[in-house]
Amino acid sequence: MHESLIKFIKNHSTAPLTKNEEVLIKEAFIPKKIRKRQYFLQAGEVCKYMAFIVKGSMRQYSVDDKGAEHIVRLSVENWWAGDRESFTMLTPSIYNIDAWEETDVLLITGADMSRISSIPALNEMARKLDLNQAFAYQKRLHASISFSAEKRYSELEKTYPEFLQRFPQHIIASYLGITKETLSRVRNQAVKK
């Protein structure tokens, strides 16, 4: 399971990984299987782990007073899952994170992350991912306040086509901030074009 993480780090860093660093990384990350619909994190808990997804998919969401889910993040293989604010600040999360499919992850604690933080390849990867995530969140925020439902769906289709194959329509609708009915209409119009 660790091989996919090592490959991911190498693909996101120009700094080489020594064999000793690979051993340290493998010792720091704990393999875990998460069943479909099993919680990785529940609202009100402190996020104790960040997870690298080896196989499967997860969703991060909040639930409003009426019981409606508001999905803020979808994650698939070679993505990271966790509430970074809760993990870093050790505060209760406002989010639930669960596995949408049977999911294999590699977990790391804050203490273990600190212990391996001197590995140059890991630091370079983390910096690149932080930038990429900031850019993605900025684009997503811009899309949610500026784009029509049709344009948001079109952008999702171009940027993350695997989401449309892996997640059902009600999850995609929530992720886009639209109703299932609007998503159905948008998809039907896209097929006609």
Side-chain angles (χ1 to χ4, degrees), residues 10-68:
K10 288 178 178 178
N11 287 342
H12 290 83
S13 173
T14 56
L17 268 179
T18 68
K19 290 295 176 197
N20 187 46
E21 290 169 340
E22 285 187 25
V23 168
L24 290 173
I25 290 168
K26 288 176 182 179
E27 289 172 355
F29 282 86
I30 306 155
K32 181 173 174 63
K33 291 187 178 294
I34 304 174
R35 293 181 321 276
K36 181 176 181 173
R37 297 292 183 103
Q38 180 181 350
Y39 284 107
F40 169 71
L41 175 70
Q42 286 186 276
E45 297 176 347
V46 173
C47 186
K48 296 179 184 145
Y49 302 97
M50 291 302 289
F52 177 77
I53 302 174
V54 176
K55 177 178 169 264
S57 62
M58 300 174 82
R59 62 189 181 138
Q60 180 174 341
Y61 60 97
S62 62
V63 180
D64 66 22
D65 294 340
K66 296 177 183 172

Side-chain angles (χ1 to χ4, degrees), residues 9-192:
I9 294 167
K10 288 178 178 178
N11 287 342
H12 290 83
S13 173
T14 56
L17 268 179
T18 68
K19 290 295 176 197
N20 187 46
E21 290 169 340
E22 285 187 25
V23 168
L24 290 173
I25 290 168
K26 288 176 182 179
E27 289 172 355
F29 282 86
I30 306 155
K32 181 173 174 63
K33 291 187 178 294
I34 304 174
R35 293 181 321 276
K36 181 176 181 173
R37 297 292 183 103
Q38 180 181 350
Y39 284 107
F40 169 71
L41 175 70
Q42 286 186 276
E45 297 176 347
V46 173
C47 186
K48 296 179 184 145
Y49 302 97
M50 291 302 289
F52 177 77
I53 302 174
V54 176
K55 177 178 169 264
S57 62
M58 300 174 82
R59 62 189 181 138
Q60 180 174 341
Y61 60 97
S62 62
V63 180
D64 66 22
D65 294 340
K66 296 177 183 172
E69 294 178 357
H70 301 279
I71 297 175
V72 296
R73 184 174 170 89
L74 298 173
S75 304
V76 294
E77 289 86 1
N78 293 317
W79 286 40
W80 295 83
D83 180 345
R84 289 180 66 184
E85 180 180 2
S86 174
F87 182 78
T88 304
M89 306 302 290
L90 302 176
T91 55
S93 178
I94 62 169
Y95 299 109
N96 295 297
I97 301 175
D98 64 12
W100 187 252
E101 302 168 339
E102 299 293 318
T103 302
D104 294 336
V105 295
L106 292 167
L107 303 178
I108 189 163
T109 64
D112 281 334
M113 195 172 280
S114 293
R115 191 169 54 81
I116 63 172
S117 66
S118 62
I119 298 174
L122 205 56
N123 282 322
E124 183 180 347
M125 176 210 70
R127 279 192 310 277
K128 284 182 178 177
L129 292 180
D130 282 347
L131 282 173
N132 289 345
Q133 186 174 32
F135 299 153
Y137 277 135
Q138 186 174 333
K139 285 179 182 174
R140 182 143 184 254
L141 177 62
H142 180 257
S144 71
I145 61 176
S146 303
F147 291 176
S148 66
E150 292 82 0
K151 177 87 170 148
R152 277 184 266 164
Y153 180 78
S154 173
E155 288 297 311
L156 179 68
E157 192 174 36
K158 279 189 265 180
T159 310
Y160 305 115
E162 66 274 22
F163 286 3
L164 303 178
Q165 306 304 313
R166 305 275 296 270
F167 296 98
Q169 199 164 328
H170 73 279
I171 287 181
I172 296 297
S174 175
Y175 181 76
L176 293 173
I178 59 178
T179 65
K180 289 183 293 189
E181 295 77 20
T182 299
L183 179 59
S184 182
R185 179 181 49 79
V186 166
R187 288 174 68 146
N188 287 336
Q189 287 174 348
V191 169
K192 291 176 186 175

